[in-house]
mmCIF file of all heavy atoms in Angstrom:
data_model
loop_
_atom_site.group_PDB
_atom_site.id
_atom_site.type_symbol
_atom_site.label_atom_id
_atom_site.label_comp_id
_atom_site.label_asym_id
_atom_site.label_seq_id
_atom_site.Cartn_x
_atom_site.Cartn_y
_atom_site.Cartn_z
ATOM 1 N N PRO A 159 -2.434 -57.810 22.129
ATOM 2 C CA PRO A 159 -2.785 -56.678 22.993
ATOM 3 C C PRO A 159 -3.540 -55.612 22.211
ATOM 4 O O PRO A 159 -3.347 -55.456 20.992
ATOM 5 C CB PRO A 159 -1.426 -56.165 23.473
ATOM 6 C CG PRO A 159 -0.469 -56.590 22.416
ATOM 7 C CD PRO A 159 -0.988 -57.888 21.874
ATOM 8 N N PHE A 160 -4.381 -54.897 22.918
ATOM 9 C CA PHE A 160 -5.239 -53.886 22.299
ATOM 10 C C PHE A 160 -5.334 -52.728 23.286
ATOM 11 O O PHE A 160 -5.858 -52.881 24.386
ATOM 12 C CB PHE A 160 -6.621 -54.497 22.028
ATOM 13 C CG PHE A 160 -7.523 -53.686 21.140
ATOM 14 C CD1 PHE A 160 -7.305 -53.611 19.775
ATOM 15 C CD2 PHE A 160 -8.630 -53.023 21.668
ATOM 16 C CE1 PHE A 160 -8.154 -52.891 18.951
ATOM 17 C CE2 PHE A 160 -9.480 -52.308 20.857
ATOM 18 C CZ PHE A 160 -9.255 -52.240 19.490
ATOM 19 N N ASP A 161 -4.788 -51.577 22.904
ATOM 20 C CA ASP A 161 -4.718 -50.436 23.808
ATOM 21 C C ASP A 161 -5.847 -49.442 23.561
ATOM 22 O O ASP A 161 -6.457 -49.421 22.482
ATOM 23 C CB ASP A 161 -3.380 -49.709 23.637
ATOM 24 C CG ASP A 161 -2.214 -50.461 24.260
ATOM 25 O OD1 ASP A 161 -2.450 -51.481 24.949
ATOM 26 O OD2 ASP A 161 -1.064 -50.038 24.056
ATOM 27 N N TYR A 162 -6.067 -48.590 24.564
ATOM 28 C CA TYR A 162 -7.089 -47.544 24.483
ATOM 29 C C TYR A 162 -6.418 -46.202 24.733
ATOM 30 O O TYR A 162 -5.724 -46.031 25.741
ATOM 31 C CB TYR A 162 -8.201 -47.792 25.503
ATOM 32 C CG TYR A 162 -9.002 -49.038 25.196
ATOM 33 C CD1 TYR A 162 -8.516 -50.302 25.533
ATOM 34 C CD2 TYR A 162 -10.216 -48.957 24.519
ATOM 35 C CE1 TYR A 162 -9.227 -51.448 25.206
ATOM 36 C CE2 TYR A 162 -10.934 -50.091 24.201
ATOM 37 C CZ TYR A 162 -10.434 -51.336 24.543
ATOM 38 O OH TYR A 162 -11.140 -52.467 24.221
ATOM 39 N N PHE A 163 -6.648 -45.249 23.812
ATOM 40 C CA PHE A 163 -5.983 -43.961 23.856
ATOM 41 C C PHE A 163 -6.978 -42.803 23.795
ATOM 42 O O PHE A 163 -8.078 -42.938 23.264
ATOM 43 C CB PHE A 163 -5.049 -43.790 22.649
ATOM 44 C CG PHE A 163 -3.864 -44.710 22.607
ATOM 45 C CD1 PHE A 163 -3.923 -45.912 21.915
ATOM 46 C CD2 PHE A 163 -2.681 -44.372 23.251
ATOM 47 C CE1 PHE A 163 -2.823 -46.761 21.853
ATOM 48 C CE2 PHE A 163 -1.581 -45.216 23.194
ATOM 49 C CZ PHE A 163 -1.649 -46.406 22.504
ATOM 50 N N PHE A 164 -6.544 -41.662 24.322
ATOM 51 C CA PHE A 164 -7.082 -40.381 23.884
ATOM 52 C C PHE A 164 -5.881 -39.509 23.558
ATOM 53 O O PHE A 164 -4.729 -39.921 23.753
ATOM 54 C CB PHE A 164 -8.015 -39.749 24.931
ATOM 55 C CG PHE A 164 -7.332 -39.255 26.178
ATOM 56 C CD1 PHE A 164 -6.927 -37.931 26.285
ATOM 57 C CD2 PHE A 164 -7.107 -40.104 27.261
ATOM 58 C CE1 PHE A 164 -6.301 -37.467 27.439
ATOM 59 C CE2 PHE A 164 -6.485 -39.655 28.414
ATOM 60 C CZ PHE A 164 -6.069 -38.326 28.501
ATOM 61 N N TRP A 165 -6.109 -38.314 23.031
ATOM 62 C CA TRP A 165 -5.008 -37.513 22.492
ATOM 63 C C TRP A 165 -5.113 -36.057 22.944
ATOM 64 O O TRP A 165 -6.212 -35.544 23.177
ATOM 65 C CB TRP A 165 -5.002 -37.585 20.959
ATOM 66 C CG TRP A 165 -4.932 -39.003 20.481
ATOM 67 C CD1 TRP A 165 -3.817 -39.750 20.244
ATOM 68 C CD2 TRP A 165 -6.043 -39.886 20.231
ATOM 69 N NE1 TRP A 165 -4.152 -41.018 19.855
ATOM 70 C CE2 TRP A 165 -5.513 -41.131 19.840
ATOM 71 C CE3 TRP A 165 -7.435 -39.732 20.284
ATOM 72 C CZ2 TRP A 165 -6.315 -42.214 19.509
ATOM 73 C CZ3 TRP A 165 -8.233 -40.803 19.978
ATOM 74 C CH2 TRP A 165 -7.680 -42.041 19.583
ATOM 75 N N VAL A 166 -3.957 -35.417 23.043
ATOM 76 C CA VAL A 166 -3.881 -34.016 23.451
ATOM 77 C C VAL A 166 -3.030 -33.260 22.435
ATOM 78 O O VAL A 166 -1.927 -33.707 22.084
ATOM 79 C CB VAL A 166 -3.243 -33.875 24.849
ATOM 80 C CG1 VAL A 166 -3.102 -32.395 25.237
ATOM 81 C CG2 VAL A 166 -4.054 -34.628 25.901
ATOM 82 N N ALA A 167 -3.549 -32.144 21.951
ATOM 83 C CA ALA A 167 -2.778 -31.225 21.102
ATOM 84 C C ALA A 167 -2.706 -29.890 21.832
ATOM 85 O O ALA A 167 -3.750 -29.349 22.232
ATOM 86 C CB ALA A 167 -3.457 -31.051 19.746
ATOM 87 N N ARG A 168 -1.499 -29.371 22.010
ATOM 88 C CA ARG A 168 -1.403 -28.116 22.760
ATOM 89 C C ARG A 168 -0.251 -27.261 22.244
ATOM 90 O O ARG A 168 0.733 -27.752 21.693
ATOM 91 C CB ARG A 168 -1.224 -28.388 24.244
ATOM 92 C CG ARG A 168 0.119 -28.998 24.628
ATOM 93 C CD ARG A 168 0.220 -29.190 26.132
ATOM 94 N NE ARG A 168 1.548 -29.694 26.503
ATOM 95 C CZ ARG A 168 1.909 -29.990 27.753
ATOM 96 N NH1 ARG A 168 1.057 -29.827 28.734
ATOM 97 N NH2 ARG A 168 3.132 -30.425 27.999
ATOM 98 N N ASN A 169 -0.416 -25.968 22.423
ATOM 99 C CA ASN A 169 0.647 -24.994 22.206
ATOM 100 C C ASN A 169 0.461 -23.877 23.222
ATOM 101 O O ASN A 169 -0.339 -24.017 24.164
ATOM 102 C CB ASN A 169 0.674 -24.493 20.750
ATOM 103 C CG ASN A 169 -0.619 -23.804 20.335
ATOM 104 O OD1 ASN A 169 -1.396 -23.335 21.170
ATOM 105 N ND2 ASN A 169 -0.847 -23.726 19.036
ATOM 106 N N ALA A 170 1.177 -22.789 23.050
ATOM 107 C CA ALA A 170 1.104 -21.719 24.036
ATOM 108 C C ALA A 170 -0.255 -21.036 24.054
ATOM 109 O O ALA A 170 -0.633 -20.406 25.053
ATOM 110 C CB ALA A 170 2.201 -20.695 23.761
ATOM 111 N N SER A 171 -1.020 -21.173 22.983
ATOM 112 C CA SER A 171 -2.300 -20.475 22.871
ATOM 113 C C SER A 171 -3.491 -21.292 23.329
ATOM 114 O O SER A 171 -4.479 -20.748 23.818
ATOM 115 C CB SER A 171 -2.536 -20.035 21.415
ATOM 116 O OG SER A 171 -1.529 -19.171 20.973
ATOM 117 N N ARG A 172 -3.415 -22.627 23.165
ATOM 118 C CA ARG A 172 -4.610 -23.421 23.447
ATOM 119 C C ARG A 172 -4.266 -24.884 23.676
ATOM 120 O O ARG A 172 -3.187 -25.351 23.301
ATOM 121 C CB ARG A 172 -5.617 -23.306 22.293
ATOM 122 C CG ARG A 172 -5.185 -23.979 21.014
ATOM 123 C CD ARG A 172 -6.176 -23.745 19.891
ATOM 124 N NE ARG A 172 -6.319 -22.322 19.620
ATOM 125 C CZ ARG A 172 -5.470 -21.618 18.851
ATOM 126 N NH1 ARG A 172 -4.430 -22.224 18.288
ATOM 127 N NH2 ARG A 172 -5.656 -20.350 18.649
ATOM 128 N N THR A 173 -5.249 -25.568 24.269
ATOM 129 C CA THR A 173 -5.205 -27.023 24.442
ATOM 130 C C THR A 173 -6.474 -27.603 23.847
ATOM 131 O O THR A 173 -7.581 -27.138 24.150
ATOM 132 C CB THR A 173 -5.106 -27.410 25.920
ATOM 133 O OG1 THR A 173 -3.854 -26.953 26.445
ATOM 134 C CG2 THR A 173 -5.216 -28.916 26.114
ATOM 135 N N VAL A 174 -6.319 -28.618 23.001
ATOM 136 C CA VAL A 174 -7.461 -29.321 22.425
ATOM 137 C C VAL A 174 -7.321 -30.795 22.787
ATOM 138 O O VAL A 174 -6.259 -31.394 22.593
ATOM 139 C CB VAL A 174 -7.513 -29.148 20.888
ATOM 140 C CG1 VAL A 174 -8.700 -29.920 20.300
ATOM 141 C CG2 VAL A 174 -7.603 -27.669 20.521
ATOM 142 N N VAL A 175 -8.377 -31.381 23.336
ATOM 143 C CA VAL A 175 -8.390 -32.806 23.678
ATOM 144 C C VAL A 175 -9.222 -33.528 22.633
ATOM 145 O O VAL A 175 -10.292 -33.053 22.229
ATOM 146 C CB VAL A 175 -8.959 -33.026 25.100
ATOM 147 C CG1 VAL A 175 -9.088 -34.521 25.412
ATOM 148 C CG2 VAL A 175 -8.070 -32.342 26.142
ATOM 149 N N ILE A 176 -8.708 -34.657 22.186
ATOM 150 C CA ILE A 176 -9.405 -35.459 21.174
ATOM 151 C C ILE A 176 -9.843 -36.764 21.822
ATOM 152 O O ILE A 176 -9.019 -37.588 22.223
ATOM 153 C CB ILE A 176 -8.494 -35.731 19.950
ATOM 154 C CG1 ILE A 176 -8.094 -34.409 19.278
ATOM 155 C CG2 ILE A 176 -9.223 -36.635 18.941
ATOM 156 C CD1 ILE A 176 -6.747 -33.889 19.704
ATOM 157 N N ASP A 177 -11.146 -36.925 21.974
ATOM 158 C CA ASP A 177 -11.787 -38.049 22.655
ATOM 159 C C ASP A 177 -11.445 -38.046 24.148
ATOM 160 O O ASP A 177 -10.544 -37.321 24.593
ATOM 161 C CB ASP A 177 -11.470 -39.380 21.986
ATOM 162 C CG ASP A 177 -12.109 -39.495 20.601
ATOM 163 O OD1 ASP A 177 -13.092 -38.776 20.343
ATOM 164 O OD2 ASP A 177 -11.627 -40.295 19.782
ATOM 165 N N CYS A 178 -12.194 -38.850 24.910
ATOM 166 C CA CYS A 178 -12.031 -38.737 26.366
ATOM 167 C C CYS A 178 -12.241 -40.047 27.118
ATOM 168 O O CYS A 178 -12.541 -40.048 28.311
ATOM 169 C CB CYS A 178 -12.951 -37.648 26.917
ATOM 170 S SG CYS A 178 -14.704 -37.863 26.550
ATOM 171 N N GLY A 179 -12.082 -41.189 26.446
ATOM 172 C CA GLY A 179 -12.065 -42.468 27.158
ATOM 173 C C GLY A 179 -13.407 -42.900 27.711
ATOM 174 O O GLY A 179 -14.453 -42.369 27.341
ATOM 175 N N TYR A 180 -13.364 -43.885 28.598
ATOM 176 C CA TYR A 180 -14.599 -44.367 29.217
ATOM 177 C C TYR A 180 -14.507 -44.275 30.736
ATOM 178 O O TYR A 180 -13.438 -44.093 31.317
ATOM 179 C CB TYR A 180 -14.938 -45.795 28.784
ATOM 180 C CG TYR A 180 -13.834 -46.831 28.891
ATOM 181 C CD1 TYR A 180 -13.454 -47.364 30.113
ATOM 182 C CD2 TYR A 180 -13.206 -47.324 27.747
ATOM 183 C CE1 TYR A 180 -12.476 -48.339 30.211
ATOM 184 C CE2 TYR A 180 -12.224 -48.297 27.823
ATOM 185 C CZ TYR A 180 -11.866 -48.804 29.057
ATOM 186 O OH TYR A 180 -10.893 -49.763 29.148
ATOM 187 N N GLU A 181 -15.668 -44.386 31.369
ATOM 188 C CA GLU A 181 -15.756 -44.303 32.825
ATOM 189 C C GLU A 181 -15.225 -45.595 33.450
ATOM 190 O O GLU A 181 -15.282 -46.670 32.856
ATOM 191 C CB GLU A 181 -17.195 -44.073 33.254
ATOM 192 C CG GLU A 181 -17.768 -42.727 32.827
ATOM 193 C CD GLU A 181 -19.216 -42.572 33.267
ATOM 194 O OE1 GLU A 181 -19.962 -43.575 33.189
ATOM 195 O OE2 GLU A 181 -19.574 -41.462 33.701
ATOM 196 N N ALA A 182 -14.761 -45.484 34.695
ATOM 197 C CA ALA A 182 -14.189 -46.639 35.395
ATOM 198 C C ALA A 182 -15.189 -47.784 35.506
ATOM 199 O O ALA A 182 -14.850 -48.945 35.267
ATOM 200 C CB ALA A 182 -13.695 -46.216 36.775
ATOM 201 N N ALA A 183 -16.441 -47.482 35.870
ATOM 202 C CA ALA A 183 -17.442 -48.539 36.050
ATOM 203 C C ALA A 183 -17.741 -49.251 34.732
ATOM 204 O O ALA A 183 -17.956 -50.472 34.709
ATOM 205 C CB ALA A 183 -18.726 -47.940 36.631
ATOM 206 N N VAL A 184 -17.749 -48.519 33.644
ATOM 207 C CA VAL A 184 -17.963 -49.126 32.335
ATOM 208 C C VAL A 184 -16.807 -50.058 31.993
ATOM 209 O O VAL A 184 -16.997 -51.162 31.476
ATOM 210 C CB VAL A 184 -18.126 -48.042 31.256
ATOM 211 C CG1 VAL A 184 -18.140 -48.657 29.859
ATOM 212 C CG2 VAL A 184 -19.412 -47.257 31.490
ATOM 213 N N GLY A 185 -15.590 -49.630 32.309
ATOM 214 C CA GLY A 185 -14.433 -50.470 32.052
ATOM 215 C C GLY A 185 -14.479 -51.777 32.811
ATOM 216 O O GLY A 185 -14.143 -52.841 32.264
ATOM 217 N N VAL A 186 -14.900 -51.724 34.057
ATOM 218 C CA VAL A 186 -15.009 -52.939 34.866
ATOM 219 C C VAL A 186 -16.079 -53.865 34.279
ATOM 220 O O VAL A 186 -15.860 -55.072 34.118
ATOM 221 C CB VAL A 186 -15.321 -52.586 36.327
ATOM 222 C CG1 VAL A 186 -15.663 -53.849 37.120
ATOM 223 C CG2 VAL A 186 -14.142 -51.864 36.959
ATOM 224 N N ARG A 187 -17.236 -53.298 33.949
ATOM 225 C CA ARG A 187 -18.325 -54.112 33.407
ATOM 226 C C ARG A 187 -17.961 -54.730 32.070
ATOM 227 O O ARG A 187 -18.336 -55.868 31.772
ATOM 228 C CB ARG A 187 -19.591 -53.254 33.288
ATOM 229 C CG ARG A 187 -20.748 -53.953 32.605
ATOM 230 C CD ARG A 187 -22.083 -53.305 32.936
ATOM 231 N NE ARG A 187 -22.046 -51.868 32.809
ATOM 232 C CZ ARG A 187 -22.154 -51.196 31.652
ATOM 233 N NH1 ARG A 187 -22.265 -51.870 30.516
ATOM 234 N NH2 ARG A 187 -22.158 -49.889 31.640
ATOM 235 N N ARG A 188 -17.206 -54.007 31.260
ATOM 236 C CA ARG A 188 -16.816 -54.514 29.945
ATOM 237 C C ARG A 188 -15.469 -55.247 29.971
ATOM 238 O O ARG A 188 -14.903 -55.560 28.927
ATOM 239 C CB ARG A 188 -16.787 -53.359 28.928
ATOM 240 C CG ARG A 188 -18.174 -52.823 28.573
ATOM 241 C CD ARG A 188 -18.073 -51.701 27.559
ATOM 242 N NE ARG A 188 -19.371 -51.177 27.166
ATOM 243 C CZ ARG A 188 -20.016 -51.473 26.033
ATOM 244 N NH1 ARG A 188 -19.476 -52.317 25.173
ATOM 245 N NH2 ARG A 188 -21.178 -50.929 25.752
ATOM 246 N N LYS A 189 -14.957 -55.490 31.170
ATOM 247 C CA LYS A 189 -13.734 -56.285 31.380
ATOM 248 C C LYS A 189 -12.509 -55.654 30.715
ATOM 249 O O LYS A 189 -11.693 -56.335 30.099
ATOM 250 C CB LYS A 189 -13.936 -57.728 30.895
ATOM 251 C CG LYS A 189 -14.988 -58.481 31.691
ATOM 252 C CD LYS A 189 -15.130 -59.911 31.225
ATOM 253 C CE LYS A 189 -16.070 -60.691 32.119
ATOM 254 N NZ LYS A 189 -17.422 -60.114 32.217
ATOM 255 N N ARG A 190 -12.371 -54.366 30.905
ATOM 256 C CA ARG A 190 -11.191 -53.627 30.453
ATOM 257 C C ARG A 190 -10.961 -52.466 31.422
ATOM 258 O O ARG A 190 -11.217 -51.304 31.106
ATOM 259 C CB ARG A 190 -11.351 -53.166 28.997
ATOM 260 C CG ARG A 190 -12.594 -52.361 28.715
ATOM 261 C CD ARG A 190 -13.001 -52.453 27.258
ATOM 262 N NE ARG A 190 -13.662 -53.730 26.995
ATOM 263 C CZ ARG A 190 -13.971 -54.192 25.782
ATOM 264 N NH1 ARG A 190 -13.670 -53.495 24.717
ATOM 265 N NH2 ARG A 190 -14.559 -55.342 25.620
ATOM 266 N N PRO A 191 -10.532 -52.785 32.639
ATOM 267 C CA PRO A 191 -10.393 -51.754 33.675
ATOM 268 C C PRO A 191 -9.393 -50.671 33.288
ATOM 269 O O PRO A 191 -8.445 -50.911 32.531
ATOM 270 C CB PRO A 191 -9.918 -52.542 34.898
ATOM 271 C CG PRO A 191 -9.326 -53.790 34.349
ATOM 272 C CD PRO A 191 -10.105 -54.108 33.116
ATOM 273 N N LEU A 192 -9.626 -49.489 33.828
ATOM 274 C CA LEU A 192 -8.755 -48.354 33.549
ATOM 275 C C LEU A 192 -7.376 -48.539 34.162
ATOM 276 O O LEU A 192 -7.233 -49.080 35.255
ATOM 277 C CB LEU A 192 -9.365 -47.070 34.120
ATOM 278 C CG LEU A 192 -10.636 -46.525 33.477
ATOM 279 C CD1 LEU A 192 -11.106 -45.297 34.240
ATOM 280 C CD2 LEU A 192 -10.409 -46.177 32.021
ATOM 281 N N THR A 193 -6.379 -48.055 33.460
ATOM 282 C CA THR A 193 -5.039 -47.913 34.015
ATOM 283 C C THR A 193 -4.926 -46.567 34.725
ATOM 284 O O THR A 193 -4.290 -46.444 35.772
ATOM 285 C CB THR A 193 -3.984 -47.996 32.903
ATOM 286 O OG1 THR A 193 -4.170 -49.211 32.180
ATOM 287 C CG2 THR A 193 -2.577 -47.949 33.476
ATOM 288 N N ILE A 194 -5.555 -45.549 34.143
ATOM 289 C CA ILE A 194 -5.602 -44.204 34.710
ATOM 290 C C ILE A 194 -6.854 -43.534 34.169
ATOM 291 O O ILE A 194 -7.269 -43.803 33.029
ATOM 292 C CB ILE A 194 -4.338 -43.398 34.345
ATOM 293 C CG1 ILE A 194 -4.285 -42.073 35.111
ATOM 294 C CG2 ILE A 194 -4.234 -43.170 32.844
ATOM 295 C CD1 ILE A 194 -2.961 -41.338 34.964
ATOM 296 N N THR A 195 -7.480 -42.688 34.969
ATOM 297 C CA THR A 195 -8.619 -41.948 34.442
ATOM 298 C C THR A 195 -8.105 -40.849 33.522
ATOM 299 O O THR A 195 -7.031 -40.280 33.757
ATOM 300 C CB THR A 195 -9.466 -41.315 35.553
ATOM 301 O OG1 THR A 195 -8.725 -40.258 36.168
ATOM 302 C CG2 THR A 195 -9.884 -42.338 36.606
ATOM 303 N N PRO A 196 -8.840 -40.530 32.474
ATOM 304 C CA PRO A 196 -8.419 -39.421 31.623
ATOM 305 C C PRO A 196 -8.219 -38.112 32.393
ATOM 306 O O PRO A 196 -7.285 -37.363 32.106
ATOM 307 C CB PRO A 196 -9.547 -39.321 30.596
ATOM 308 C CG PRO A 196 -10.008 -40.744 30.452
ATOM 309 C CD PRO A 196 -9.958 -41.284 31.866
ATOM 310 N N ALA A 197 -9.067 -37.853 33.381
ATOM 311 C CA ALA A 197 -8.919 -36.624 34.175
ATOM 312 C C ALA A 197 -7.581 -36.617 34.915
ATOM 313 O O ALA A 197 -6.883 -35.588 34.960
ATOM 314 C CB ALA A 197 -10.075 -36.484 35.145
ATOM 315 N N ASP A 198 -7.211 -37.759 35.490
ATOM 316 C CA ASP A 198 -5.933 -37.833 36.208
ATOM 317 C C ASP A 198 -4.755 -37.712 35.247
ATOM 318 O O ASP A 198 -3.730 -37.106 35.570
ATOM 319 C CB ASP A 198 -5.839 -39.141 36.996
ATOM 320 C CG ASP A 198 -6.711 -39.136 38.243
ATOM 321 O OD1 ASP A 198 -7.165 -38.050 38.647
ATOM 322 O OD2 ASP A 198 -6.935 -40.233 38.804
ATOM 323 N N ALA A 199 -4.893 -38.307 34.068
ATOM 324 C CA ALA A 199 -3.825 -38.196 33.080
ATOM 325 C C ALA A 199 -3.647 -36.747 32.637
ATOM 326 O O ALA A 199 -2.522 -36.245 32.526
ATOM 327 C CB ALA A 199 -4.125 -39.088 31.877
#
């Protein structure tokens, strides 16, 4: 198995997102469909 991640660092002052995944259509074309969109997550 091979997973795909992005990361979130947050505290009371700020939120920083590290990387942001791929689009749903790209995932389908590359045969790795999304489990959840990064925006929804």
